Amino acid sequence: MSDCYDTGMKTRRQVLGDAHVARAEAAKTDFDTPFQNLITNAAWGTVWASDGITRRERSMLTLALLAAAGNWDEIPMHIRATTRTGATKQDVQEVFQHVAIYCGVPKANHALKIAKQTYAEMEEAE
């Protein structure tokens, strides 16, 4: 594999955690391996590995974009990642308020509902 892929895997593990990445890797098939390689290289090896902004800022930006685009299934994973990126619950509240103003209250409301449920699950697991 390439240096970018190796950097991507390292970054992915740092942000999402070893357990998440191990589950994702174990679930890979021949069908989705090319896609998994693409996101490991592009998203994790390039965008998330950049030091242009902090991981906290990148985490907040990602949550805002996911909510704005209605990519609900990805929000819990990135809420869980906040424990490693440094984005706080207050940061997440602020992010979704921003989404409400610029992208719509229903999207922000749904994202807050998902975040609230995910935080509750995280607290139960402790």
Side-chain angles (χ1 to χ4, degrees):
M1 289 285 156
S2 70
D3 287 342
C4 191
Y5 182 88
D6 293 340
T7 298
M9 285 302 286
K10 178 181 175 188
T11 303
R12 191 174 165 203
R13 288 181 183 285
Q14 290 171 344
V15 173
L16 300 177
D18 288 328
H20 175 89
V21 175
R23 282 190 306 274
E25 287 295 296
K28 261 188 346 187
T29 65
D30 290 342
F31 182 73
D32 66 346
T33 292
F35 176 78
Q36 291 296 322
N37 290 344
L38 171 69
I39 62 172
T40 300
N41 279 300
W44 298 108
T46 303
V47 174
W48 273 90
S50 169
D51 62 0
I53 60 176
T54 66
R55 286 209 176 143
R56 175 181 165 264
E57 293 165 327
R58 198 171 305 281
S59 183
M60 294 166 61
L61 181 60
T62 299
L63 284 164
L65 291 167
L66 290 172
N71 292 317
W72 313 121
D73 291 344
E74 295 288 313
I75 290 174
M77 175 178 70
H78 283 280
I79 291 291
R80 287 183 179 93
T82 63
T83 62
R84 288 173 290 283
T85 65
T88 66
K89 284 184 180 181
Q90 182 177 352
D91 290 334
V92 172
Q93 290 169 330
E94 293 288 334
V95 161
F96 293 145
Q97 286 181 35
H98 216 74
V99 169
I101 297 304
Y102 289 96
C103 299
V105 171
K107 285 186 176 179
N109 188 44
H110 193 65
L112 278 165
K113 178 182 170 186
I114 293 168
K116 184 177 171 181
Q117 178 182 346
T118 304
Y119 282 128
E121 290 168 3
M122 291 167 65
E123 288 169 9
E124 284 178 22
E126 290 179 351

